[in-house]
Coordinates of all heavy atoms in Angstrom, one line a residue:
M1 N -100.0 12.0 11.0 CA -101.1 12.7 11.8 C -100.5 14.0 12.3 O -99.4 14.2 12.7 CB -101.3 11.8 13.1 CG -102.5 12.3 13.9 SD -102.8 11.0 15.2 CE -103.8 12.1 16.3
A2 N -101.4 15.1 12.3 CA -101.0 16.4 12.6 C -100.8 16.6 14.1 O -101.5 15.8 14.9 CB -102.0 17.4 12.1
L3 N -99.9 17.5 14.5 CA -99.8 17.8 15.9 C -100.5 19.2 16.0 O -100.0 20.2 15.7 CB -98.3 17.9 16.3 CG -98.1 18.5 17.7 CD1 -98.7 17.6 18.8 CD2 -96.6 18.7 17.9
R4 N -101.7 19.1 16.5 CA -102.6 20.2 16.6 C -102.6 20.8 18.0 O -102.9 20.0 19.0 CB -104.0 19.9 16.1 CG -105.0 21.0 16.1 CD -106.3 20.7 15.4 NE -106.0 20.6 14.0 CZ -106.9 20.1 13.1 NH1 -108.1 19.8 13.5 NH2 -106.5 20.1 11.9
V5 N -102.4 22.1 18.2 CA -102.3 22.7 19.5 C -103.2 23.9 19.5 O -103.3 24.6 18.6 CB -100.9 23.1 20.0 CG1 -100.0 21.9 20.1 CG2 -100.2 24.1 19.0
K6 N -103.8 24.2 20.7 CA -104.6 25.4 20.9 C -103.7 26.5 21.2 O -102.8 26.4 22.1 CB -105.6 25.2 22.0 CG -106.5 26.4 22.1 CD -107.6 26.1 23.2 CE -107.4 27.2 24.2 NZ -108.3 27.1 25.4
V7 N -103.8 27.6 20.4 CA -102.9 28.7 20.6 C -103.5 30.0 21.3 O -102.9 30.6 22.1 CB -102.3 29.1 19.2 CG1 -101.4 30.4 19.3 CG2 -101.4 27.9 18.7
C8 N -104.8 30.3 20.9 CA -105.4 31.5 21.5 C -106.8 31.4 21.1 O -107.3 30.4 20.6 CB -104.7 32.7 20.9 SG -104.8 32.9 19.1
H9 N -107.5 32.6 21.3 CA -108.9 32.7 20.9 C -109.0 33.8 19.8 O -108.1 34.6 19.7 CB -109.7 33.2 22.2 CG -109.9 32.1 23.2 ND1 -108.9 32.0 24.2 CD2 -110.7 31.1 23.4 CE1 -109.2 30.9 25.0 NE2 -110.3 30.4 24.5
V10 N -110.0 33.7 19.1 CA -110.2 34.6 18.0 C -110.0 36.1 18.3 O -109.4 36.8 17.6 CB -111.7 34.5 17.4 CG1 -111.9 35.5 16.3 CG2 -111.8 33.0 16.8
G11 N -110.6 36.5 19.5 CA -110.5 38.0 19.9 C -109.2 38.4 20.5 O -109.0 39.5 20.8
D12 N -108.2 37.4 20.5 CA -106.9 37.8 21.2 C -106.0 38.7 20.4 O -105.0 39.3 20.9 CB -106.2 36.5 21.6 CG -106.8 35.8 22.8 OD1 -107.6 36.4 23.5 OD2 -106.5 34.6 23.0
V13 N -106.2 38.6 19.0 CA -105.4 39.4 18.1 C -106.2 40.4 17.4 O -107.1 40.1 16.6 CB -104.6 38.5 17.2 CG1 -103.6 39.3 16.3 CG2 -103.9 37.3 17.9
A14 N -106.0 41.7 17.6 CA -106.7 42.8 17.0 C -106.4 42.9 15.5 O -105.2 42.5 15.1 CB -106.4 44.1 17.6
E15 N -107.3 43.3 14.7 CA -107.1 43.5 13.3 C -105.9 44.4 13.0 O -105.7 45.4 13.6 CB -108.3 44.0 12.6 CG -108.2 43.9 11.1 CD -109.6 44.2 10.4 OE1 -110.6 43.6 10.9 OE2 -109.7 44.9 9.5
G16 N -105.0 43.9 12.1 CA -103.8 44.7 11.8 C -102.7 44.6 12.7 O -101.7 45.3 12.7
E17 N -102.8 43.6 13.6 CA -101.7 43.3 14.6 C -101.3 41.9 14.7 O -102.1 41.0 14.0 CB -102.2 43.8 16.0 CG -102.5 45.2 16.1 CD -102.9 45.7 17.5 OE1 -102.9 44.8 18.4 OE2 -103.1 46.9 17.6
F18 N -100.3 41.6 15.2 CA -99.8 40.2 15.5 C -99.5 40.0 17.0 O -99.1 41.0 17.7 CB -98.8 39.7 14.6 CG -97.4 40.3 14.9 CD1 -96.5 39.7 15.8 CD2 -97.0 41.4 14.2 CE1 -95.3 40.2 16.0 CE2 -95.7 41.9 14.4 CZ -94.9 41.4 15.3
R19 N -99.5 38.7 17.5 CA -99.1 38.4 18.8 C -98.4 37.1 18.8 O -98.7 36.2 17.9 CB -100.3 38.3 19.8 CG -100.8 39.6 20.2 CD -101.9 39.5 21.2 NE -101.4 38.8 22.4 CZ -102.2 38.4 23.4 NH1 -103.5 38.6 23.3 NH2 -101.8 37.8 24.5
A20 N -97.4 37.0 19.7 CA -96.6 35.8 19.8 C -97.2 34.9 21.0 O -97.4 35.6 22.0 CB -95.2 36.0 20.0
F21 N -97.4 33.7 20.8 CA -98.0 32.8 21.8 C -97.0 31.6 22.1 O -96.6 30.9 21.2 CB -99.4 32.3 21.4 CG -100.4 33.3 21.2 CD1 -100.6 34.0 20.0 CD2 -101.2 33.7 22.4 CE1 -101.5 34.9 19.9 CE2 -102.1 34.8 22.2 CZ -102.3 35.4 20.9
R22 N -96.8 31.5 23.4 CA -95.9 30.4 23.8 C -96.7 29.0 23.7 O -97.9 29.0 24.0 CB -95.4 30.5 25.2 CG -94.4 31.5 25.3 CD -93.0 30.9 25.8 NE -92.0 31.8 25.5 CZ -91.0 31.6 24.5 NH1 -91.1 30.4 23.9 NH2 -90.1 32.4 24.2
V23 N -96.1 28.0 23.2 CA -96.7 26.7 23.0 C -95.8 25.7 23.8 O -94.5 25.7 23.5 CB -96.9 26.3 21.6 CG1 -97.4 24.9 21.5 CG2 -97.8 27.3 20.8
T24 N -96.3 25.0 24.7 CA -95.6 24.0 25.5 C -94.9 23.1 24.6 O -95.4 22.5 23.6 CB -96.5 23.3 26.4 OG1 -97.2 24.2 27.2 CG2 -95.7 22.2 27.3
G25 N -93.5 22.9 24.9 CA -92.7 21.9 24.1 C -92.1 22.5 22.9 O -91.4 21.8 22.1
V26 N -92.4 23.7 22.5 CA -91.9 24.4 21.3 C -91.0 25.5 21.6 O -91.3 26.3 22.5 CB -93.0 24.8 20.4 CG1 -92.5 25.5 19.1 CG2 -94.0 23.8 20.0
T27 N -89.8 25.5 21.1 CA -88.8 26.5 21.5 C -89.2 28.0 21.1 O -89.2 28.8 22.0 CB -87.5 26.2 20.7 OG1 -87.1 24.9 21.0 CG2 -86.4 27.2 21.2
W28 N -89.7 28.2 19.9 CA -90.1 29.5 19.6 C -91.6 29.7 19.6 O -92.3 28.7 19.3 CB -89.6 29.8 18.1 CG -88.1 29.9 18.0 CD1 -87.3 28.8 17.7 CD2 -87.2 31.0 18.3 NE1 -86.0 29.2 17.8 CE2 -85.9 30.5 18.1 CE3 -87.5 32.3 18.6 CZ2 -84.9 31.4 18.2 CZ3 -86.4 33.1 18.8 CH2 -85.1 32.7 18.5
P29 N -92.1 30.9 20.0 CA -93.5 31.0 20.0 C -94.2 31.0 18.7 O -93.5 31.1 17.6 CB -93.7 32.4 20.6 CG -92.5 33.1 20.3 CD -91.4 32.1 20.3
V30 N -95.5 30.7 18.6 CA -96.2 30.8 17.3 C -96.8 32.2 17.2 O -97.2 32.8 18.2 CB -97.3 29.8 17.3 CG1 -98.3 29.9 16.2 CG2 -96.8 28.3 17.4
I31 N -96.6 32.7 16.0 CA -97.2 34.1 15.8 C -98.5 34.0 15.1 O -98.6 33.3 14.0 CB -96.2 35.0 15.0 CG1 -95.0 35.2 15.9 CG2 -96.8 36.2 14.5 CD1 -94.0 36.1 15.3
I32 N -99.5 34.7 15.7 CA -100.8 34.8 15.0 C -101.0 36.2 14.5 O -100.8 37.1 15.4 CB -102.0 34.4 15.9 CG1 -101.7 32.9 16.5 CG2 -103.3 34.5 15.2 CD1 -101.9 31.8 15.5
T33 N -101.2 36.4 13.3 CA -101.5 37.7 12.7 C -102.9 37.9 12.2 O -103.4 36.9 11.6 CB -100.5 38.0 11.5 OG1 -99.1 37.8 11.9 CG2 -100.7 39.4 10.9
N34 N -103.4 38.9 12.5 CA -104.8 39.3 12.0 C -104.6 40.3 10.9 O -104.5 41.5 11.1 CB -105.7 39.8 13.2 CG -107.1 40.1 12.7 OD1 -107.4 40.3 11.6 ND2 -108.0 40.1 13.7
L35 N -104.7 39.7 9.7 CA -104.5 40.6 8.5 C -105.8 40.9 7.9 O -106.4 40.1 7.2 CB -103.6 39.8 7.5 CG -102.6 40.6 6.6 CD1 -101.6 41.4 7.5 CD2 -101.9 39.6 5.7
T36 N -106.4 42.1 8.2 CA -107.7 42.5 7.8 C -108.8 41.4 8.0 O -109.5 41.0 7.1 CB -107.7 43.0 6.3 OG1 -107.3 41.9 5.4 CG2 -106.9 44.2 6.1
G37 N -108.7 40.8 9.2 CA -109.7 39.9 9.5 C -109.3 38.3 9.2 O -109.9 37.5 9.8
E38 N -108.3 38.2 8.4 CA -107.8 36.8 8.1 C -106.7 36.5 9.2 O -105.7 37.2 9.2 CB -107.2 36.9 6.8 CG -106.6 35.5 6.3 CD -105.9 35.6 5.0 OE1 -105.8 36.6 4.3 OE2 -105.3 34.5 4.6
L39 N -106.9 35.4 9.9 CA -105.9 35.0 10.8 C -104.8 34.0 10.2 O -105.2 33.2 9.4 CB -106.5 34.3 12.0 CG -107.4 35.0 12.9 CD1 -108.0 34.2 14.0 CD2 -106.6 36.2 13.5
I40 N -103.6 34.4 10.4 CA -102.5 33.6 9.8 C -101.5 33.2 10.8 O -101.1 34.0 11.7 CB -101.7 34.5 8.8 CG1 -102.7 34.9 7.6 CG2 -100.5 33.8 8.2 CD1 -102.2 35.9 6.6
A41 N -101.1 31.9 10.9 CA -100.2 31.4 11.8 C -98.9 31.1 11.2 O -98.7 30.6 10.1 CB -100.7 30.1 12.5
T42 N -97.8 31.6 11.9 CA -96.4 31.4 11.4 C -95.5 31.0 12.5 O -95.8 31.3 13.7 CB -95.8 32.7 10.6 OG1 -95.8 33.8 11.6 CG2 -96.8 33.1 9.5
A43 N -94.3 30.6 12.2 CA -93.3 30.3 13.1 C -92.9 31.7 13.7 O -93.0 32.7 13.1 CB -92.1 29.6 12.5
G44 N -92.3 31.7 14.9 CA -91.9 32.9 15.6 C -90.5 33.2 15.5 O -90.0 34.1 16.1
V45 N -89.8 32.5 14.6 CA -88.4 32.7 14.4 C -88.1 33.0 12.9 O -88.6 32.3 12.0 CB -87.6 31.5 14.9 CG1 -88.0 30.2 14.2 CG2 -86.1 31.7 14.9
C46 N -87.2 33.9 12.6 CA -86.8 34.2 11.3 C -85.9 33.1 10.7 O -85.1 32.7 11.3 CB -86.0 35.6 11.3 SG -85.4 36.0 9.7
P47 N -86.3 32.7 9.5 CA -85.5 31.7 8.8 C -84.1 32.1 8.4 O -83.4 31.3 7.9 CB -86.4 31.2 7.6 CG -87.2 32.5 7.3 CD -87.4 33.2 8.6
H48 N -83.8 33.4 8.5 CA -82.5 33.8 8.0 C -81.4 33.6 9.1 O -80.5 32.8 8.9 CB -82.6 35.4 7.8 CG -81.3 36.0 7.3 ND1 -80.8 37.2 7.7 CD2 -80.4 35.5 6.4 CE1 -79.6 37.4 7.2 NE2 -79.3 36.5 6.3
E49 N -81.6 34.1 10.4 CA -80.6 33.9 11.4 C -81.2 33.7 12.7 O -80.7 34.3 13.8 CB -79.6 35.0 11.4 CG -78.6 35.0 10.3 CD -77.6 36.1 10.3 OE1 -77.5 36.8 11.3 OE2 -76.8 36.1 9.4
D50 N -82.4 33.0 12.9 CA -82.8 32.7 14.3 C -83.1 33.9 15.1 O -82.8 33.9 16.3 CB -82.0 31.7 15.0 CG -82.1 30.3 14.3 OD1 -82.9 30.1 13.5 OD2 -81.4 29.5 14.8
V51 N -83.7 34.9 14.6 CA -84.1 36.1 15.4 C -85.6 36.0 15.7 O -86.3 35.6 14.8 CB -83.7 37.4 14.7 CG1 -84.4 38.6 15.2 CG2 -82.2 37.6 14.6
A52 N -85.9 36.4 16.9 CA -87.3 36.4 17.2 C -88.2 37.4 16.5 O -87.9 38.6 16.5 CB -87.5 36.7 18.7
L53 N -89.2 36.9 15.8 CA -90.1 37.8 15.0 C -91.1 38.5 15.9 O -91.7 39.5 15.4 CB -90.8 37.0 13.9 CG -89.8 36.4 12.8 CD1 -90.7 35.6 11.8 CD2 -89.2 37.6 12.0
A54 N -91.2 38.1 17.1 CA -92.1 38.8 18.1 C -91.7 40.3 18.2 O -92.6 41.1 18.6 CB -92.2 38.0 19.3
N55 N -90.5 40.5 17.9 CA -90.0 42.0 18.1 C -90.1 42.6 16.7 O -89.5 43.8 16.6 CB -88.6 41.9 18.6 CG -88.6 41.3 20.0 OD1 -89.4 41.5 20.8 ND2 -87.5 40.5 20.2
G56 N -90.7 42.1 15.7 CA -90.7 42.7 14.4 C -92.0 43.6 14.3 O -92.6 43.9 15.3
W57 N -92.3 43.9 13.1 CA -93.4 44.7 12.8 C -94.1 44.3 11.5 O -93.6 43.6 10.7 CB -93.1 46.2 12.9 CG -92.1 46.5 11.8 CD1 -92.3 47.1 10.5 CD2 -90.7 46.5 11.9 NE1 -91.2 47.4 9.9 CE2 -90.1 47.0 10.7 CE3 -89.8 46.0 12.8 CZ2 -88.7 47.1 10.4 CZ3 -88.4 46.1 12.6 CH2 -88.0 46.6 11.4
L58 N -95.3 44.7 11.3 CA -96.1 44.4 10.0 C -95.9 45.6 9.1 O -95.9 46.8 9.5 CB -97.6 44.3 10.3 CG -97.9 43.1 11.2 CD1 -99.4 43.1 11.4 CD2 -97.5 41.8 10.6
E59 N -95.9 45.2 7.8 CA -95.7 46.2 6.8 C -96.2 45.6 5.5 O -95.7 44.6 4.9 CB -94.3 46.6 6.6 CG -94.1 48.0 6.0 CD -92.6 48.4 6.1 OE1 -92.2 48.7 7.2 OE2 -91.9 48.4 5.1
D60 N -97.3 46.2 4.9 CA -97.8 45.8 3.6 C -98.0 44.3 3.5 O -97.5 43.7 2.5 CB -96.8 46.4 2.5 CG -97.4 46.2 1.1 OD1 -98.6 46.2 1.0 OD2 -96.7 46.1 0.2
G61 N -98.7 43.7 4.4 CA -99.0 42.3 4.4 C -97.8 41.4 4.7 O -97.8 40.2 4.5
A62 N -96.8 41.9 5.2 CA -95.6 41.1 5.6 C -95.2 41.4 7.0 O -95.5 42.4 7.6 CB -94.4 41.5 4.7
I63 N -94.5 40.4 7.6 CA -93.9 40.6 8.9 C -92.4 40.9 8.6 O -91.8 40.3 7.8 CB -94.1 39.4 9.9 CG1 -93.6 39.7 11.2 CG2 -93.4 38.2 9.3 CD1 -94.1 38.8 12.3
V64 N -91.9 41.9 9.3 CA -90.6 42.4 9.0 C -89.7 42.0 10.2 O -90.0 42.3 11.4 CB -90.5 44.0 8.8 CG1 -89.1 44.4 8.5 CG2 -91.5 44.4 7.8
C65 N -88.6 41.3 9.9 CA -87.8 40.8 10.9 C -86.9 42.0 11.5 O -86.3 42.7 10.8 CB -86.8 39.8 10.3 SG -85.6 39.2 11.5
P66 N -86.8 42.0 12.8 CA -85.9 43.1 13.4 C -84.4 42.9 13.2 O -83.7 43.8 13.4 CB -86.3 43.0 14.9 CG -86.7 41.6 15.2 CD -87.4 41.2 13.9
G67 N -84.1 41.7 12.8 CA -82.7 41.3 12.5 C -82.0 42.2 11.5 O -81.2 43.0 11.7
H68 N -82.5 41.9 10.2 CA -81.9 42.7 9.0 C -83.1 43.3 8.2 O -82.9 43.6 7.0 CB -81.1 41.7 8.2 CG -80.0 41.0 8.9 ND1 -80.2 39.7 9.5 CD2 -78.8 41.5 9.3 CE1 -79.1 39.5 10.1 NE2 -78.2 40.5 10.1
A69 N -84.3 43.4 8.8 CA -85.4 44.0 8.1 C -85.9 43.3 6.8 O -86.5 43.8 6.0 CB -85.1 45.4 7.9
Y70 N -85.6 42.0 6.7 CA -86.2 41.2 5.7 C -87.7 41.1 5.8 O -88.2 40.9 7.0 CB -85.6 39.8 5.7 CG -84.2 39.7 5.1 CD1 -83.5 40.7 4.8 CD2 -83.7 38.4 4.7 CE1 -82.2 40.7 4.3 CE2 -82.5 38.3 4.2 CZ -81.7 39.4 4.0 OH -80.4 39.3 3.6
E71 N -88.5 41.1 4.8 CA -89.9 41.1 4.8 C -90.4 39.7 4.4 O -89.9 39.2 3.3 CB -90.5 42.2 3.9 CG -90.2 43.5 4.3 CD -90.7 44.6 3.3 OE1 -91.6 44.2 2.5 OE2 -90.2 45.7 3.5
F72 N -91.3 39.1 5.2 CA -91.8 37.8 4.8 C -93.4 38.0 4.6 O -94.0 38.4 5.5 CB -91.6 36.8 5.9 CG -90.1 36.6 6.1 CD1 -89.4 37.3 7.0 CD2 -89.5 35.5 5.4 CE1 -87.9 37.1 7.1 CE2 -88.1 35.3 5.5 CZ -87.3 36.1 6.4
D73 N -93.7 37.7 3.4 CA -95.1 37.8 3.0 C -96.0 36.8 3.8 O -95.7 35.6 3.8 CB -95.4 37.5 1.5 CG -96.8 37.9 1.0 OD1 -97.7 37.2 1.6 OD2 -96.9 38.7 0.2
L74 N -96.9 37.3 4.6 CA -97.6 36.4 5.5 C -98.5 35.4 4.8 O -98.8 34.3 5.3 CB -98.4 37.2 6.5 CG -97.6 37.9 7.5 CD1 -98.3 39.1 8.2 CD2 -97.2 36.9 8.6
R75 N -99.0 35.8 3.6 CA -99.9 34.8 2.9 C -99.1 33.8 2.2 O -99.7 32.7 1.8 CB -100.8 35.6 1.9 CG -101.8 36.5 2.7 CD -102.9 37.0 1.7 NE -104.0 37.6 2.5 CZ -104.0 38.9 2.7 NH1 -103.1 39.8 2.3 NH2 -105.1 39.5 3.4
T76 N -97.9 33.9 1.9 CA -97.1 32.9 1.2 C -95.9 32.4 2.0 O -95.4 31.3 1.7 CB -96.5 33.5 -0.2 OG1 -95.6 34.6 0.2 CG2 -97.7 34.0 -1.1
G77 N -95.5 33.2 2.9 CA -94.2 32.9 3.7 C -93.0 33.3 3.0 O -91.9 33.2 3.5
K78 N -93.1 33.7 1.7 CA -91.9 34.0 0.9 C -91.2 35.3 1.4 O -91.9 36.3 1.7 CB -92.2 34.2 -0.6 CG -92.9 33.0 -1.2 CD -91.9 31.9 -1.6 CE -92.5 30.8 -2.3 NZ -91.7 29.6 -2.3
C79 N -89.9 35.2 1.4 CA -89.1 36.4 1.7 C -89.1 37.3 0.5 O -88.7 36.8 -0.6 CB -87.7 36.0 2.2 SG -86.6 37.4 2.5
R80 N -89.3 38.6 0.6 CA -89.2 39.5 -0.4 C -87.8 40.0 -0.8 O -87.6 40.7 -1.8 CB -90.1 40.8 -0.1 CG -91.5 40.5 0.0 CD -92.3 41.7 0.4 NE -93.8 41.3 0.5 CZ -94.7 42.1 1.1 NH1 -94.3 43.2 1.7 NH2 -95.9 41.8 1.1
H81 N -86.8 39.6 0.0 CA -85.4 40.0 -0.2 C -84.6 38.8 -0.6 O -83.5 39.1 -1.3 CB -84.8 40.6 1.1 CG -85.6 41.8 1.5 ND1 -85.2 43.0 1.2 CD2 -86.6 41.9 2.3 CE1 -86.1 43.9 1.7 NE2 -86.9 43.3 2.5
D82 N -84.9 37.6 -0.3 CA -84.1 36.4 -0.7 C -85.1 35.3 -0.9 O -85.7 34.7 0.0 CB -83.2 36.1 0.6 CG -82.3 35.0 0.3 OD1 -82.6 34.2 -0.6 OD2 -81.3 34.8 1.1
A83 N -85.2 34.9 -2.2 CA -86.2 33.9 -2.6 C -85.8 32.5 -2.0 O -86.7 31.7 -2.0 CB -86.1 33.8 -4.1
S84 N -84.7 32.4 -1.5 CA -84.3 31.0 -0.9 C -84.9 30.9 0.6 O -84.9 29.8 1.1 CB -82.8 30.8 -0.9 OG -82.2 31.6 0.1
L85 N -85.4 32.0 1.1 CA -85.9 32.0 2.5 C -87.4 31.9 2.5 O -88.1 32.6 1.7 CB -85.4 33.2 3.3 CG -83.9 33.3 3.5 CD1 -83.6 34.6 4.2 CD2 -83.4 32.2 4.3
E86 N -88.0 31.1 3.4 CA -89.4 31.1 3.5 C -89.8 30.9 5.0 O -89.3 30.0 5.7 CB -89.9 29.9 2.7 CG -91.5 29.9 2.6 CD -92.0 28.9 1.6 OE1 -91.2 28.6 0.6 OE2 -93.1 28.4 1.8
L87 N -90.7 31.7 5.4 CA -91.2 31.7 6.8 C -92.2 30.6 6.8 O -93.1 30.5 6.0 CB -91.8 33.0 7.2 CG -92.5 33.1 8.6 CD1 -91.4 32.9 9.7 CD2 -93.1 34.5 8.8
R88 N -92.1 29.7 7.9 CA -93.0 28.6 7.9 C -94.4 29.0 8.4 O -94.5 29.8 9.4 CB -92.4 27.6 9.0 CG -93.2 26.3 9.1 CD -92.3 25.2 9.5 NE -93.2 24.0 9.5 CZ -93.1 23.1 10.4 NH1 -92.2 23.2 11.4 NH2 -93.9 22.0 10.5
R89 N -95.3 28.6 7.7 CA -96.7 28.9 7.9 C -97.4 27.7 8.5 O -97.1 26.5 8.1 CB -97.5 29.4 6.7 CG -96.9 30.6 6.1 CD -97.5 31.1 4.8 NE -98.8 31.7 5.0 CZ -100.0 31.2 4.7 NH1 -100.1 30.0 4.2 NH2 -101.0 31.9 5.0
Y90 N -98.4 27.9 9.3 CA -99.1 26.7 9.9 C -100.6 26.8 9.5 O -101.2 27.9 9.5 CB -99.0 26.7 11.4 CG -97.5 26.7 12.0 CD1 -97.1 27.6 12.8 CD2 -96.7 25.6 11.7 CE1 -95.8 27.6 13.2 CE2 -95.5 25.5 12.2 CZ -95.0 26.6 13.0 OH -93.7 26.5 13.5
K91 N -101.2 25.6 9.4 CA -102.6 25.5 9.1 C -103.4 25.8 10.4 O -103.0 25.4 11.4 CB -102.9 24.1 8.6 CG -104.4 23.9 8.4 CD -104.6 22.4 7.8 CE -106.0 22.2 7.5 NZ -106.9 21.9 8.7
I92 N -104.4 26.7 10.2 CA -105.2 27.1 11.3 C -106.6 26.4 11.2 O -107.1 26.3 10.1 CB -105.4 28.6 11.3 CG1 -104.2 29.3 11.9 CG2 -106.7 29.0 12.2 CD1 -104.3 30.8 11.9
T93 N -107.1 25.9 12.3 CA -108.4 25.4 12.4 C -109.1 26.2 13.6 O -108.6 26.3 14.6 CB -108.5 23.9 12.7 OG1 -107.7 23.2 11.8 CG2 -109.9 23.4 12.8
Q94 N -110.3 26.7 13.2 CA -111.0 27.4 14.2 C -112.1 26.5 14.8 O -112.9 26.0 14.0 CB -111.6 28.7 13.7 CG -112.4 29.5 14.7 CD -112.9 30.8 14.3 OE1 -112.4 31.4 13.3 NE2 -114.0 31.4 14.8
I95 N -112.1 26.3 16.1 CA -113.1 25.5 16.7 C -113.8 26.4 17.8 O -113.3 26.8 18.8 CB -112.5 24.3 17.4 CG1 -111.8 23.4 16.4 CG2 -113.6 23.4 18.1 CD1 -111.0 22.2 17.0
S96 N -115.1 26.8 17.4 CA -115.8 27.8 18.3 C -115.0 29.0 18.2 O -114.7 29.5 17.1 CB -116.0 27.2 19.7 OG -116.8 28.1 20.4
D97 N -114.5 29.6 19.4 CA -113.7 30.8 19.3 C -112.3 30.5 19.5 O -111.5 31.4 19.7 CB -114.2 31.9 20.3 CG -113.9 31.5 21.6 OD1 -113.8 30.3 22.0 OD2 -113.8 32.4 22.5
E98 N -111.9 29.2 19.5 CA -110.5 28.8 19.8 C -109.7 28.6 18.4 O -110.3 28.1 17.4 CB -110.5 27.5 20.5 CG -111.1 27.5 21.8 CD -111.3 26.2 22.5 OE1 -111.0 25.1 21.9 OE2 -111.6 26.1 23.7
I99 N -108.5 29.1 18.4 CA -107.6 29.0 17.3 C -106.6 27.8 17.6 O -105.8 27.8 18.5 CB -106.8 30.3 17.0 CG1 -107.8 31.4 16.7 CG2 -105.8 30.1 15.9 CD1 -108.7 31.2 15.5
W100 N -106.8 26.8 16.8 CA -105.8 25.7 16.8 C -104.9 25.7 15.6 O -105.3 26.0 14.5 CB -106.6 24.4 16.8 CG -107.4 24.1 18.1 CD1 -108.5 24.9 18.5 CD2 -107.2 23.3 19.2 NE1 -109.0 24.4 19.7 CE2 -108.2 23.4 20.1 CE3 -106.2 22.3 19.4 CZ2 -108.2 22.6 21.3 CZ3 -106.1 21.5 20.5 CH2 -107.2 21.7 21.5
V101 N -103.6 25.3 15.8 CA -102.7 25.3 14.8 C -102.0 24.0 14.7 O -101.7 23.3 15.6 CB -101.6 26.4 15.2 CG1 -100.3 26.3 14.3 CG2 -102.2 27.8 15.1
D102 N -101.9 23.5 13.4 CA -101.1 22.2 13.1 C -99.6 22.6 13.0 O -99.1 23.1 12.0 CB -101.6 21.6 11.8 CG -103.1 21.1 11.9 OD1 -103.6 21.1 13.1 OD2 -103.6 20.6 10.9
L103 N -98.9 22.1 14.0 CA -97.5 22.4 14.0 C -96.7 21.4 13.1 O -95.6 21.7 12.5 CB -96.9 22.3 15.4 CG -97.4 23.4 16.4 CD1 -96.8 23.1 17.7 CD2 -97.0 24.8 15.8
L104 N -97.3 20.2 12.9 CA -96.7 19.2 12.0 C -97.7 18.7 10.9 O -98.8 18.8 11.1 CB -96.2 18.0 12.8 CG -95.2 18.2 13.8 CD1 -94.9 16.9 14.6 CD2 -93.8 18.6 13.2
Ligands
FES201 S1 -82.2 37.5 11.1 FE1 -84.2 38.0 10.2 S2 -83.7 39.1 8.4 FE2 -81.7 38.4 9.2

């Protein structure tokens, strides 16, 4: 059974931007990115060395980690610098204007 949590509302993340949202009981925030109107949910921590991605930036469909500037493709989670690394993506369910994310 999925652990589904409400993270934000549709209008909370502007197109071309991302925001980090704290979720009760979860160490790292969940990041919601609005990629040309498509909302994508990912973990808020870099799979390389546990650096907060909330301080990163977007570039060509990827979130760039502020730690070593590795790029993680938001649509696949794959790292463009190290194929062994993958950013965790979460399934999104939209209920009315609410964004719910399956953490498990
Ligand atoms: S800690 Fe994120 S790329 Fe190294």
